[in-house]
Amino acid sequence: MSNHKPFIPASQSLPDFNLKTVMLGVFLGAIFGSANAYLGLRVGLTISTAIPLAVISVAILKMLTPLLGKSTILECNISQTAGSASSSLASGIIFTIPALYIWGYNVPLYQMTLLAMCGGILGVLFMIPLRGFLIVKEHLFLPYPEGTASAEVLIAANEGGSTAKNVFRGLGIGALYKGLISLMYLWPSKVNIKLPVLPKANVGISTTPALLGVGYILGLRIGTIMVGGGLLSWVFIIPFIAWHFPEVTQNLAPEEIWNQYIRIIGAGAVAMAGLITVAKSIPTMIESLRIGLNELKASAGMMGKGKLRTQQDLSVHYVIIGVGFVVAIIAFIPGIIGMQTGFLMRLISGIAIVIFAFCFVTVSSRIVGMIGVSSNPTSGMAIVTLLGVGMIFKLLGWTDLTGKITALTIGTVVCIAASIAGDISQDLKSGFLVGATPRKQQISEIIGAIGSAFFVCLAVFYLGKAYGFGSSELPAPQATLMKTVLDGVLDGNLNWTLVGIGALISVIIFLFRIPPLPFAVGVYLPLYTMTPVFLGGLLRHVLDHRIQNDKSFSEKGRDQGILLSSGFIAGEGLMGVVIAIIAVIQTRRPEFFKIIYPSEWMGQMVSGIVFCCLGWFLYRVALKSRS
């Protein structure tokens, strides 16, 4: 354990947890959580919002100074902690819930919200006894990158106003851009390039700000891996199928071949990649479980006894009571888990949730401590949960639609718990560095999870009603995969040859020491969603290369491109939710204005030019911030 000295000493007490900070956190969480839900349903991944939330919290609280008085760094930390819970909720929901709709089960909004709340509460509670070891004792060995960066932002709060400007600027541009292409239809939202020689091969580019921003944040390596998977599907596998089976595919468009064949291959690739990722974590998992059990025992007798302010956690008694409460409401209240379930099924479900959630909360925290929230393999953990629960249900004879829905809702709660654990770990790391009171952070995270759950679920609910899950607008790739896994376990009616091909692809990629999960996601998704991610990563690479080779640039400049990109994602996501609500109200896709171009290539040229201008603007903002 290091002799760490927080920015605010333990002996100093500043205002932190209050109505102002918690309400702001819930409000910001509702915005960024809804945007992350939209992003995840489109491309199967979400991003950490800890850093932009830290920036915006500082800026807004500074603006409110004339009304509410000067805010402290600890108040900003509490606001960020409460707000960041929503993005983790979004991850768990969009990875699982849409599968229920694809099965034909229209999940009531109250059920979705209660599932989210249960998962959020469990994720926070199980992290409480682990904080002392993972955050404090392992401080020098687990960097928790987003948490450390958020702490730096909070400590440099005097830069908050100018720094936050680019988040809000990106939010406005992202929302306006989405409105111009999805409400006004001034130009197409993607560009298609048909390749010569290869049958039915084409390369598409989705010219939207959110995916460009995702690529800029993730960087070139991940973007290249993801687009590599997409190119394998659309430039090799689809042309091969069209060439080898002309009698079957001659009347099929490339999109139809993708839907009938590539999605199943991609599902096998993602499932295997998830299992490989979890398998690699088995040593971490075993060690984490051992630590978790030991810390739980130690915490029962030690928590809260004569500790400094910066060492005070919620009592382990609250952990036990809270976990028992979650199991009780699942077991005794019908309609939370599955549909038309008996008491025995609900009780077994509650126990399974606690076991799997505790296992994966400990694993999740250690993984994000090393590589960050965005690389947390929660979908792989959900797959393992579904496989385990699916086999138990098969042995018990619960293989009908009720069994499938129940198993998937179990996976939902576990997935959310694991995701929330990764998020609060980053927040606790940030609090550890700035000198926050852990107990108040833990309460804030619970309030943030409960408070934003309804708004995130409402966004998912309306997006599904407007576009339909599994559609080209909302492919919901991870949820479709979860459905495929459960169908395979409980029905055994999958095309296992195609699944096996996908699994083999992931194994080969893994043997070449390439991260299999992002590559498999690229195989599974339409190529046009991967190309802008690659272009965003390439843009950042070009910028970094220029800065490294030009000594006139400052080494200390903060990259505002990341904050602008976060704004792009939030703005487009929010406008996507707004458009979905309008579509549900009108019972049709809104179309206030539309330009009909004389030829398809002209519209695509306009789309490409505007997209290039957007990329140039992102590049200039990022370059200027580093000079």
Side-chain angles (χ1 to χ4, degrees):
M1 179 177 173
S2 65
N3 295 319
H4 168 71
K5 294 182 179 180
F7 183 74
I8 302 297
S11 58
Q12 185 177 354
S13 294
L14 296 177
D16 47 13
F17 181 88
N18 51 50
L19 187 63
K20 170 183 67 175
T21 55
V22 173
M23 285 187 66
L24 177 60
V26 172
F27 172 73
L28 294 175
I31 293 175
F32 278 87
S34 300
N36 240 342
Y38 173 78
L39 176 67
L41 290 169
R42 284 200 66 192
V43 296
L45 53 85
T46 57
I47 64 161
S48 170
T49 57
I51 297 170
L53 277 171
V55 172
I56 294 176
S57 295
V58 169
I60 292 179
L61 289 173
K62 276 195 172 185
M63 286 190 294
L64 293 175
T65 299
L67 292 175
L68 303 174
K70 187 176 180 180
S71 297
T72 68
I73 186 174
L74 299 187
E75 287 181 309
C76 296
N77 175 253
I78 289 293
S79 178
Q80 177 231 332
T81 300
S84 62
S86 64
S87 294
S88 300
L89 284 174
S91 299
I93 292 166
I94 57 98
F95 283 0
T96 52
I97 289 293
L100 301 177
Y101 287 91
I102 298 172
W103 268 321
Y105 174 55
N106 293 318
V107 188
L109 182 58
Y110 80 86
Q111 183 182 11
M112 198 190 308
T113 304
L114 288 173
L115 288 170
M117 289 180 177
C118 288
I121 291 169
L122 286 179
V124 178
L125 291 177
F126 281 139
M127 260 307 298
I128 290 172
L130 297 174
R131 189 196 69 84
F133 181 83
L134 296 177
I135 307 299
V136 180
K137 293 181 182 178
E138 293 287 283
H139 167 56
L140 297 178
F141 308 104
L142 293 176
Y144 289 97
E146 290 94 346
T148 300
S150 297
E152 290 178 2
V153 170
L154 293 172
I155 291 172
N158 60 314
E159 300 177 13
S162 60
T163 302
K165 177 179 67 177
N166 282 312
V167 181
F168 290 115
R169 184 190 292 180
L171 199 150
I173 292 172
L176 176 64
Y177 198 114
K178 179 66 176 175
L180 293 178
I181 60 176
S182 297
L183 282 176
M184 306 295 289
Y185 293 89
L186 298 189
W187 60 82
S189 61
K190 61 183 177 181
V191 173
N192 271 321
I193 304 170
K194 294 182 179 179
L195 302 182
V197 181
L198 298 173
K200 300 187 185 294
N202 64 61
V203 174
I205 303 173
S206 178
T207 56
T208 57
L211 298 181
L212 181 70
V214 168
Y216 189 90
I217 292 171
L218 293 179
L220 180 61
R221 182 170 182 266
I222 296 298
T224 302
I225 292 169
M226 295 180 79
V227 83
L231 289 171
L232 177 67
S233 291
W234 289 82
V235 181
F236 180 76
I237 300 178
I238 288 178
F240 176 80
I241 293 173
W243 169 75
H244 200 266
F245 304 101
E247 68 284 353
V248 178
T249 61
Q250 61 180 344
N251 295 321
L252 295 179
E255 292 77 12
E256 293 173 307
I257 297 175
W258 172 79
N259 191 52
Q260 293 184 27
Y261 301 98
I262 303 302
R263 290 185 73 168
I264 302 174
I265 293 173
V270 176
M272 177 56 72
L275 293 174
I276 289 172
T277 305
V278 173
K280 285 175 62 182
S281 302
I282 285 177
T284 299
M285 188 181 301
I286 294 171
E287 177 66 9
S288 298
L289 287 174
R290 184 186 66 79
I291 291 167
L293 292 171
N294 289 340
E295 289 296 310
L296 192 62
K297 293 175 185 175
S299 298
M302 295 297 297
M303 267 189 183
K305 289 189 176 180
K307 290 189 174 183
L308 297 173
R309 178 185 61 79
T310 53
Q311 299 173 356
Q312 294 173 2
D313 294 275
L314 276 174
S315 169
V316 75
H317 300 107
Y318 290 119
V319 176
I320 296 169
I321 293 170
V323 171
F325 176 73
V326 171
V327 173
I329 63 173
I330 288 172
F332 290 101
I333 301 178
I336 297 179
I337 290 291
M339 68 170 187
Q340 299 176 347
T341 52
F343 174 76
L344 180 61
M345 180 179 279
R346 295 197 300 272
L347 179 61
I348 291 175
S349 298
I351 295 171
I353 284 171
V354 169
I355 293 172
F356 281 106
F358 180 73
C359 291
F360 289 132
V361 159
T362 55
V363 175
S364 177
S365 180
R366 286 186 71 93
I367 289 176
V368 302
M370 293 181 282
I371 57 177
V373 169
S374 298
S375 302
N376 192 9
T378 48
S379 58
M381 299 176 196
I383 290 171
V384 172
T385 301
L386 293 181
L387 288 172
V389 173
M391 287 188 284
I392 293 170
F393 279 22
K394 192 171 182 66
L395 289 173
L396 294 172
W398 298 339
T399 58
D400 58 1
L401 183 60
T402 297
K404 291 179 182 178
I405 291 172
T406 304
L408 195 74
T409 49
I410 291 172
T412 299
V413 179
V414 173
C415 194
I416 292 171
S419 187
I420 282 281
D423 174 76
I424 192 175
S425 298
Q426 300 287 355
D427 294 334
L428 289 170
K429 178 72 168 188
S430 180
F432 175 71
L433 294 174
V434 302
T437 305
R439 174 172 53 84
K440 295 181 179 179
Q441 281 190 285
Q442 290 152 359
I443 295 172
S444 299
E445 186 94 9
I446 292 174
I447 294 173
I450 293 173
S452 61
F454 171 76
F455 298 102
V456 174
C457 291
L458 186 67
V460 173
F461 183 80
Y462 274 108
L463 286 167
K465 276 186 170 294
Y467 302 113
F469 298 118
S471 64
S472 59
E473 178 70 21
L474 293 178
Q478 303 285 12
T480 307
L481 170 65
M482 302 306 168
K483 174 185 176 297
T484 302
V485 168
L486 272 178
D487 282 338
V489 172
L490 296 179
D491 291 344
N493 59 359
L494 276 179
N495 187 329
W496 288 104
T497 301
L498 295 179
V499 172
I501 291 171
L504 182 62
I505 289 172
S506 285
V507 171
I508 293 172
I509 290 299
F510 172 69
L511 293 177
F512 278 96
R513 298 190 176 184
I514 298 172
L517 198 54
F519 188 90
V521 170
V523 172
Y524 183 81
L525 286 171
L527 178 59
Y528 65 81
T529 62
M530 297 294 101
T531 43
V533 175
F534 166 74
L535 292 173
L538 181 62
L539 188 70
R540 184 172 179 184
H541 176 74
V542 171
L543 175 74
D544 290 342
H545 182 72
R546 178 175 175 181
I547 290 170
Q548 288 171 3
N549 290 280
D550 190 338
K551 299 301 181 183
S552 66
F553 288 100
S554 170
E555 294 291 332
K556 298 180 181 179
R558 295 177 182 274
D559 187 354
Q560 296 299 306
I562 292 177
L563 297 177
L564 184 66
S565 296
S566 298
F568 284 170
I569 295 165
E572 183 182 330
L574 286 176
M575 182 56 73
V577 173
V578 170
I579 293 170
I581 294 172
I582 295 172
V584 171
I585 294 171
Q586 293 185 346
T587 65
R588 61 179 175 82
R589 181 168 294 193
E591 186 177 305
F592 298 137
F593 182 79
K594 187 172 186 178
I595 292 180
I596 306 297
Y597 290 90
S599 59
E600 184 181 3
W601 70 267
M602 290 181 65
Q604 295 195 4
M605 185 176 70
V606 172
S607 181
I609 291 172
V610 177
F611 187 66
C612 287
C613 292
L614 182 72
W616 176 249
F617 176 72
L618 173 59
Y619 179 82
R620 294 303 302 174
V621 168
L623 187 67
K624 184 178 179 181
S625 70
R626 301 293 295 274
S627 60

